[in-house]
Amino acid sequence: MARRPMMAANWKMNKLIEEARDYVEQLLPRIEGARGVDVAIFAPFTCLPEVVRRTQDAPVVAGAQNFYHEDSGAFTGEVSAPMLRDAGAVTVIVGHSERREIFGETDETVAHKAARAVSAGLLPVVCVGETKEERDAGSMWDKVSGQVRAVFEQLDAGQIGGEALVFAYEPIWAIGTGETATPEDAQDAIGRIRALLGELGGEGFAGEVRILYGGSIKPGNVDDIMAQEDVDGGLVGGASLEAESFAELVNAAAKHG
Ligand code: PGA
């Protein structure tokens, strides 16, 4: 089954509104030829409306980096799925390792968020991945499969298609470190995630779910990563902060569409 590639910029806690505007202005002309790839910008909440406005007529979607799974109420400091929709977001990162490691998000909260995003009509990009210690101890798959299973348990897979969510395999030791998983390691983990989704939700479902790789993707390694059979795209931090290098990644992904 042909899955449409996706290249996603995760700006993390970077950029003021004016910088976001300049970035989109620089990005759009550089990716004009990139058809057949979904492009997403995951912006901080404060820049989100600006990114939405600036990408309105472009083949680029705006997303948020987090939300809370209740719709409203006494949750000081949180933002809900309907609020993201209201601001024009169509997608949201869920369970990024920085949310899990720094802000204490558990498999259970991540799973609730993924399910709520789907039911609210937002495309969740659900992040999973192991630490260096877990990889060295041989428990990478225990960790990653547990994260995937937890999310799956909250989803009504019978009611949704595999295109309703995206996974991102992001080994924590490769995030922001310059150390990338080899293309073979990325394929191995992502192939196993797809096989597990097949067991849980059936082959048709698993064949539709897009699974991205994330962790120090840059113009120099994107082609080898995108060439892997089960890798459907990238979630990019550092190399997405400059429009020029992110455009290179988008154009590279388009070749694999
Ligand atoms: P990186 O971040 O590309 O800077 O490694 C990826 C991510 O955290 O999504």
Side-chain angles (χ1 to χ4, degrees), residues 10 12 96-98 170 174-178 214-217 235-239:
N10 174 11
K12 307 193 178 183
H96 189 280
S97 62
E98 287 149 19
E170 299 207 305
I175 294 179
T177 59
S216 299
I217 294 185
L235 181 57
V236 190

Side-chain angles (χ1 to χ4, degrees), residues 85-158:
R85 291 285 309 254
D86 190 38
V90 302
T91 179
V92 63
I93 296 175
V94 172
H96 189 280
S97 62
E98 287 149 19
R99 302 275 343 147
R100 296 179 189 255
E101 304 267 305
I102 305 172
F103 301 102
E105 291 195 13
T106 63
D107 283 357
E108 198 185 354
T109 51
V110 171
H112 281 301
K113 289 182 181 197
R116 181 62 191 122
V118 171
S119 67
L122 288 163
L123 178 72
V125 176
V126 183
C127 300
V128 299
E130 82 287 359
T131 63
K132 181 92 180 107
E133 293 70 37
E134 288 160 344
R135 173 161 280 256
D136 290 346
S139 59
M140 173 280 245
W141 184 239
D142 280 352
K143 170 77 170 287
V144 170
S145 61
Q147 291 175 323
V148 173
R149 282 179 193 278
V151 168
F152 195 85
E153 276 165 22
Q154 292 296 325
L155 291 174
D156 198 350

